Amino acid sequence: MAVPHNRKAIIFAIFIAFGTSPSTSWHISGFLFGYDMGVISGCLIMPDFIERFGEGPSGSKVLTSSRQSIITSLLSVGTIVGALGQAFTADSFGRRGSVLFWSAIFTTGIAIQTSTNTNLGQLTFGRFVAGLGVGAMSAIVPLYNGETAPKAIRGILVVMYQVQIISGIFLSYVIELGTHTIAGSASWRIPVGLQMVWGLVLLSGIFFLPESPRHLLGRGREEEARQVIAELNSVPIDDPLVLETMEQLEFGINAENAGGKATWMECFSTRNQLWKRTINGMMLQFIQQLNGQNFYYYYGDTFFQSAGTQLSPYVIQTILGAVSVVGTVPAMAIIETMGRRKTLLMGAVLQGICALVAGLVGHFCLAAVGTPASMLTSRNKQGGDVLIAFAVMHVFSFGLTWGPTPWVYLSESFPLRVRPKAIALGSASNWVWNFLLSFFSPRIAARIGPLVLLIFFGMLVFGFVYVWLFIPETKGLSLEEVDELYRSGVKPWNSSSWKPHLYDDQNAVHRRKGGETPSEVQEVREKGDSDSA
């Protein structure tokens, strides 16, 4: 039979990634999430922004570490609430309607921020409202991509989500590199206000997105599910591929729904090892947030001012953003060749080395914060260069490994009945630790300086051990086969060689009828998807 290519599925997933997030870190999802993360970093050292929202006498105000914490972290508070709240809207409004709702919330929050003059309360409230949208979409996007993408390229498409996050960060750095010299509030209002444009683009594009076929089937809307499957695979509605896909989805959904309506507590039940999957999803998000890269994204401009380099903090941040983009692009291939597990292990080693070297060199070689450039020694300048070099390698390694992989794992680890709630818990974990990082990092760094990076080194060592002991390989498995993987009880370090048997009975029936089995149809289709991708 002819091999259809899932071009529409790829286009839809890329578009939805443009509007949401990961990786990582701070605010809305995907592109919007990354852009907001990057834009606040530059605002914190802009003279007009400091004069409006800092403390002290007029003309000599400063943004204390406390105010930096409040401004940066209030968005994260909103993301925690949004990540949990989307579990209710994803089921009641559908995946598509939920994205529309939370996109509007995000755009409203940006409007509140942009219109503020000197009111710190309005600025932080606007960041909280925007955070509601960011947190919600950070959960909905992996959910949507996991339910619409073919398993052979599901990892690639979820990585596209991380690519959009990093692209958003990079673009914010480039824009602030051009606006930070503008006199007056335009220096920060322009980069902040541009987020409304991105939000409106997302709002308009949502009307062209299909609903998740798994969600439609779970709601009993079989005819609509057939139409979406046919559309995503670019085949007629009566094509055998549509029938085979419907059979597999119904088979898995019926098994999942046998126990009745899911509750939040079911995410931690012993049934099908759900407690283990939920804990794994939350732990990977926790480790991702505390492995160091977000410290550079949030406070890099401020941190690099003491590095003694001839480059401005804005230029350094732009370089970091570009390196992050370069690192994330090959992750689309690595995550499907090396697999999820090996990618995480490799990333923990690479980032751990970078954090250790940068922390020690920064502590022993950098001058104290606020030291005039004329008083910096050659040792100080060389130490600054080494710190920046390892910071660059750190964010590159993150983009290659720990940036996208936890989101891929989260999107493909849960059965339909608990998927919105379980992904919400994973995303909420991400944002809780993001909040704690953004709130306490400037305070800790003010006390111990570059040694703060040794805390992240310790977390990366812990991350390596955790992945080795508890994270199984899910590469190449359908969402239903992942369910079987956990039920089988295979040890994580042996999971790469594990083979599914979910459709053995169903395949035997098809062979007796002399037709292609669902597994054979799926393999042919996915081989074509991989070749076209």
Side-chain angles (χ1 to χ4, degrees), residues 442-494:
R443 301 165 186 261
I444 297 174
R447 290 177 176 270
I448 65 175
L451 287 180
V452 69
L453 295 173
L454 297 188
I455 297 176
F456 303 132
F457 166 73
M459 180 54 59
L460 288 160
V461 173
F462 169 77
F464 182 93
V465 175
Y466 187 89
V467 170
W468 178 264
L469 293 177
F470 300 110
I471 302 300
E473 181 56 70
T474 56
K475 181 189 74 170
L477 301 179
S478 69
L479 300 183
E480 291 73 28
E481 289 165 346
V482 171
D483 201 42
E484 184 189 355
L485 167 68
Y486 273 95
R487 289 200 307 269
S488 72
V490 64
K491 299 299 182 183
W493 49 89
N494 295 326

Side-chain angles (χ1 to χ4, degrees), residues 218-248:
R219 291 285 177 166
R221 297 156 63 180
E222 295 184 8
E223 188 58 34
E224 293 178 64
R226 285 192 184 91
Q227 293 175 353
V228 172
I229 292 170
E231 184 179 7
L232 289 175
N233 290 280
S234 303
V235 297
I237 196 170
D238 58 352
D239 190 274
L241 174 60
V242 177
L243 174 62
E244 303 291 1
T245 305
M246 286 286 291
E247 286 183 0
Q248 289 196 5

Side-chain angles (χ1 to χ4, degrees), residues 318-331:
T318 303
I319 294 172
L320 287 178
V323 169
S324 297
V325 174
V326 172
T328 306
V329 171

Side-chain angles (χ1 to χ4, degrees), residues 100-136:
L100 176 64
F101 175 79
W102 292 107
S103 297
I105 295 293
F106 168 77
T107 306
T108 301
I110 296 303
I112 295 173
Q113 292 179 60
T114 308
S115 62
T116 188
N117 190 25
T118 58
N119 191 325
L120 180 63
Q122 180 180 341
L123 176 70
T124 53
F125 177 71
R127 290 186 63 74
F128 172 80
V129 174
L132 294 173
V134 172

